[in-house]
Amino acid sequence: KQWYQRRVRVLSIGCAMLGAGHVTALEVDPDAIEDLAGNLEEYEMDNVDVVQCDVTAPSSFKEGVFDTAIMNPPFGTKNNEGIDMVFLDRALELCRGSVYSFHKSSTREFITRRMESRGYHVTVLAEMKFSIPQMYKMHRKKEVLVDVDFIRVARER
């Protein structure tokens, strides 16, 4: 698999390797789950649970069940406009602490205004470029560089 097809699994493994006591990976894609399970076995990691679910759908998870969320949601453009905010809202419901998330830099002001109006503080931790390869027929270019922010969303104290 190409690196961009594995990116989802990297966040869970990175958290576990960097000392998280326990990681719960939520993923809808069965292929991604299979890849993650193989990587967890290869690295002999036993502190990661993998749950197949659609985080945008109602679930049995209680509000505040997780300490922290780290995610790379869909960017929410064209055919799925606003999906990144659905993911962010759901993560904030499920977490007692902060949410760390990747978003297109062009949405920074919108996200900041929306979160601040709800009593959250947004911090841009890093600005980077994501290389998005041609994955779908609608993609006309072989590769596109997208400006991306890595943000932290936390409740105002």
Side-chain angles (χ1 to χ4, degrees):
K1 297 233 175 191
Q2 299 294 323
W3 71 267
Y4 53 83
Q5 294 170 307
R6 307 192 105 169
R7 160 168 74 201
V8 198
R9 280 70 84 204
V10 171
L11 295 176
S12 300
I13 290 173
C15 290
M17 286 182 161
L18 291 171
H22 187 82
V23 175
T24 303
L26 307 179
E27 177 60 61
V28 71
D29 180 2
D31 292 334
I33 291 170
E34 185 178 325
D35 282 353
L36 177 55
N39 289 335
L40 294 172
E41 185 176 318
E42 180 181 337
Y43 291 116
E44 300 177 357
M45 301 178 119
D46 59 3
N47 64 334
V48 179
D49 286 334
V50 183
V51 178
Q52 183 173 10
C53 68
D54 177 352
V55 298
T56 65
S59 72
S60 58
F61 291 113
K62 296 178 184 174
E63 286 191 22
V65 70
F66 301 114
D67 293 323
T68 305
I70 301 173
M71 63 181 188
N72 181 16
F75 285 150
T77 56
K78 297 191 182 177
N79 296 332
N80 59 359
E81 185 175 345
I83 192 71
D84 56 333
M85 297 308 298
V86 173
F87 272 71
L88 186 55
D89 289 341
R90 188 71 176 131
L92 290 166
E93 289 173 13
L94 295 175
C95 290
R96 291 184 291 276
S98 298
V99 172
Y100 297 84
S101 187
F102 293 94
H103 293 271
K104 287 180 72 175
S105 299
S106 62
T107 63
R108 181 187 302 166
E109 286 184 33
F110 172 78
I111 292 171
T112 300
R113 277 194 315 272
R114 181 170 173 178
M115 291 297 108
E116 288 178 351
S117 74
R118 298 160 121 195
Y120 294 97
H121 178 71
V122 176
T123 306
V124 177
L125 301 173
E127 298 175 30
M128 59 200 78
K129 292 192 182 294
F130 274 14
S131 171
I132 309 292
Q134 185 179 30
M135 295 184 287
Y136 304 105
K137 289 180 181 178
M138 66 180 170
H139 291 166
R140 301 201 189 292
K141 297 180 181 178
K142 188 173 182 175
E143 173 186 55
V144 175
L145 287 178
V146 178
D147 292 325
V148 175
D149 291 343
F150 183 55
I151 64 171
R152 175 179 183 256
V153 181
R155 288 170 176 76
E156 294 284 352
R157 297 193 190 258

